[in-house]
Amino acid sequence: MSSDRAAARAPRLTLVQGDITEQAVDAVVNAANSSLLGGGGVDGAIHRRGGPDILAECRALRASHYGRGLPTGQAVATTAGRLPARWVIHTVGPVHSASEDRSDLLASCHRESLRVADELGARTVAFPAISTGVYGWPIEDAARIAVETVRAADTAVEEVRFVLFDERAYAAFAARME
Ligand code: ADP
């Protein structure tokens, strides 16, 4: 019975090769760092294109709730400034480690982002390939964790769109979604 209910609430998964800052979805997920004060990669692109309002909200979140930064695996939302999306959901991926299995934390980023999306009432959510840039996670393994976690999620989100920047990342997600 409960598995029927979960299946009924499972989001549709879609795949795009492109730039996450151009996605007209309710919420885009940011592969942030725990400072919430900006960085490179997706984070840099979101703040550059979204404008200063996002950073101002991130600073306020640091001051009010996350004095020591947003912990790895958690997620928090701000508005999306000038992006076509309504909200940015910031989540902190784990740095890949060869000596320690941090898969649970990467799965948690996806679960927690969808939980925040549900709180916002977002129905369409775009995810980048979290942790696969400077945090060094092998793309095939990141794709497996992302797709499995989103497929298993119990959420009112209707579409999860994975937005992959390059061909190799796109191919890894496409292979997983078959
Ligand atoms: P992390 O610190 O979690 O590794 P990065 O931002 O460095 O995050 O990279 C995560 C992934 O996002 C990488 O695969 C990178 O190629 C990709 N990426 C970088 N810029 C964008 C963008 N504008 N839109 C979508 N994906 C992007």
Side-chain angles (χ1 to χ4, degrees):
M1 198 61 192
S2 65
S3 66
D4 287 352
R5 196 170 59 90
R9 286 182 33 115
R12 183 164 52 92
L13 271 56
T14 58
L15 204 55
V16 165
Q17 190 180 338
D19 184 338
I20 199 160
T21 65
E22 294 172 0
Q23 305 301 310
V25 286
D26 293 334
V28 297
V29 175
N30 180 17
N33 60 56
S34 77
S35 80
L36 290 177
L37 300 180
V42 177
D43 203 8
I46 283 176
H47 285 289
R48 244 186 338 269
R49 298 210 35 173
D53 290 358
I54 302 173
L55 190 58
E57 282 186 55
C58 285
R59 282 191 205 285
L61 280 167
R62 276 297 300 269
S64 62
H65 288 84
Y66 300 106
R68 304 163 98 174
L70 181 66
T72 304
Q74 294 190 24
V76 69
T78 64
T79 54
R82 296 196 288 260
L83 297 179
R86 291 177 67 188
W87 298 287
V88 176
I89 298 172
H90 308 264
T91 189
V92 182
V95 176
H96 185 261
S97 162
S99 58
E100 185 193 348
D101 183 5
R102 298 179 176 161
S103 306
D104 283 354
L105 286 167
L106 186 54
S108 174
C109 288
H110 294 83
R111 259 194 315 272
E112 286 299 301
S113 294
L114 290 173
R115 189 183 59 71
V116 170
D118 280 334
E119 281 174 10
L120 296 166
R123 293 291 178 264
T124 53
V125 179
F127 277 86
I130 299 165
S131 287
T132 66
V134 292
Y135 284 1
W137 209 290
I139 190 69
E140 285 79 12
D141 197 48
R144 175 185 65 77
I145 293 165
V147 171
E148 281 177 2
T149 306
V150 170
R151 278 203 175 127
D154 181 18
T155 171
V157 171
E158 290 162 4
E159 180 191 354
V160 166
R161 187 181 304 172
F162 291 111
V163 182
L164 294 319
F165 214 36
D166 58 52
E167 219 163 287
R168 182 157 172 243
Y170 181 91
F173 274 73
R176 257 309 143 184
M177 281 167 57
E178 263 171 18

